[in-house]
Amino acid sequence: PRQASDVVLALLQAPSGDADTSNEDDQATLDLRPILQQLPERSRRVLECRFLEGKSVRATAAELGISEGNAKVIQHRAIAQAADRAQTA
């Protein structure tokens, strides 16, 4: 079975939420909007910029006024936070 963070990442990367649903236990039909709303503002914005708006790390960092390294760290932590919340949803 895939890790919850892999499922969250697949859902974020899938166009229109069309993630791979080959395994029913993957929670691939999970709606991420309520989970994203629970994240801290900056974490949510990084995920929105990166995956929903398709921006690069550089463009995301510039928009939020943070370094590229910080954007990468926030992205990694935000995916982990979203996965934790998805498992308890």
Side-chain angles (χ1 to χ4, degrees):
R2 292 192 289 181
Q3 296 288 332
S5 59
D6 293 337
V7 173
V8 168
L9 189 55
L11 287 168
L12 285 168
Q13 292 174 331
S16 303
D18 293 336
D20 175 19
T21 57
S22 60
N23 183 345
E24 293 177 11
D25 294 331
D26 282 348
Q27 300 176 349
T29 58
L30 180 66
D31 185 1
L32 288 179
R33 286 174 292 203
I35 292 169
L36 291 177
Q37 292 301 319
Q38 293 176 23
L39 296 177
E41 176 73 15
R42 192 160 50 167
S43 298
R44 184 179 53 76
R45 281 299 300 140
V46 166
L47 292 183
E48 288 173 347
C49 287
R50 292 285 293 126
F51 299 105
L52 302 180
E53 299 171 17
K55 294 182 180 175
S56 67
V57 172
R58 179 175 287 170
T60 298
E63 182 172 318
L64 299 178
I66 58 178
S67 70
E68 288 181 46
N70 196 8
K72 290 177 185 179
V73 169
I74 292 169
Q75 176 183 312
H76 175 77
R77 291 178 179 166
I79 290 170
Q81 289 173 342
D84 286 344
R85 287 180 167 91
Q87 285 183 321
T88 59

